[in-house]
Amino acid sequence: MSYISRKRLSMGLVAGILMLSAGGFAPVSAQEIPNDFSAIVRQKLPAVVAITTRQIIQDQTMLDDFLNPFDSRGPAQPQVREALGSGFVVSPEGYIVTNNHVVADSTEIHVVFSDKETSPARLVGRDPATDIAVLKVDPRPNMTTTAWGDSDAMQPGAWTIAIGSPFGLGGTVTVGVLSARSRDIQAGPYDDFLQTDASINRGNSGGPLFNARGEVIGVNTAIVSPFGGSIGIGFAVPSRTARSVADQLIRTGRIERGFIGVRLQEVTPSLAQALGISSTKGALVASVEPGSPADKAGLLNGKEVQGVHDLTLAAANEKPGSKATLTRNRGGSQQEVELTLGQRKDEEVQTGAVPSPEAADQRLGLSLSPIPDEARQQPGLQPGTTGVFIQEVAPNSPAAENGLRPGDVIVSANNRDVAQPSDIQEEWARSRQQHKPILLRINRQGQSLFIALAAS
């Protein structure tokens, strides 16, 4: 079975372990495409480096030796894990861009230039969310650098050139085309990869993906492979993202991302029908964080915004403190809301998306009651919360199929606050008469989400 790995295109050298760690420009015209790419390679190859890392692992055996120094087995030796990746020079001051997973947790980092000269490198900063890291080496005389290109100008079918150190073979060049854009491979919260069929393998991680002008339009990061080698499906972080992250790391050593403060879920057909909207495009605001920019701007629960993944990327790419305008759907009419983006904390780097399964049955499949006193002690249930407590969920019922759980609190049904099981029954009967799903708003350990149970 094929799998996606951040193959991690760096190559781990531990036996038996595969660690794949082993602005704007006009589109290129037909007249600008060379007969071959030798001139570009000759010019850019000195700016591409191999990266070797070492990680010393202090295992439990070493701890036992420390606690029992007279053990007859003798002292254990620390394990040394080595890995290989690629990178590219982005400034004459010696800054080098690579992948986070190539250098994460390393105790030693060295770069090897195309002339085989090796230099120690210092980690300037890294961003696990986008898998980008920046290193610094002492500048070399007349150091060759790369130039960033415009990944947004790249269209499927355009030439792509990858240079790196697959399997430790430095200075390897492969050529292909851009296969697709905006790929979400579930590798992280800000997935927006370029896909290429240029051959990339273990050890290519962190290397540049060039366009036909010799500009860097991506950072090679992951591949799809059933056996660990290239099958022509590789992914690169677009330069739009990589350049922004690298510039921030060089400037401050850390990343600042915009923060809106909403919890989102996808709009399913049942939710769309229950909300009275004609399309499943966009995202549903399940809850708004108190005191967040969205809360201050007056965004309310249940209002449609632009897609979950797109909204997450758009907010993260904006600088905290900048102004933003959101278009929401309220009662079938569109409104614009202006807000000032806040600062996202490191632990908040996530999409916040929650699942919203489908259902189609006439029975609720729920055993309901007022909220018991003991249930009010559960995390996230604020004092004074009104709602209906789910005691049991019948197997194979619409409620079970939609992910409702015992312990969930139904706060509203069809946007009507509820306090007694009879409130749910009334709204369920009304929804069945109207041949539309019942829209339930759930409180689950302090998190809000919407679930639509189809009435047929």
Side-chain angles (χ1 to χ4, degrees), residues 275-277 302-305 327-335:
L275 289 167
I277 56 179
K303 302 303 176 290
E304 185 184 14
V305 297
T327 301
R328 65 185 180 188
N329 186 306
R330 170 178 286 178
S333 62
Q334 290 190 348
Q335 302 173 348

Side-chain angles (χ1 to χ4, degrees), residues 237-306:
V237 179
S239 59
R240 169 178 25 84
T241 299
R243 182 178 186 177
S244 173
V245 171
D247 286 349
Q248 287 192 63
L249 291 176
I250 291 171
R251 188 172 63 253
T252 66
R254 61 190 180 89
I255 299 299
E256 293 183 342
R257 289 191 172 92
F259 172 65
I260 296 178
V262 293
R263 182 172 174 83
L264 307 173
Q265 64 184 97
E266 300 291 346
V267 180
T268 66
S270 291
L271 282 174
Q273 186 179 2
L275 289 167
I277 56 179
S278 59
S279 173
T280 59
K281 294 181 179 180
L284 191 65
V285 179
S287 63
V288 177
E289 182 176 322
S292 67
D295 184 34
K296 295 174 182 178
L299 274 176
L300 301 176
N301 294 341
K303 302 303 176 290
E304 185 184 14
V305 297
Q306 195 59 38

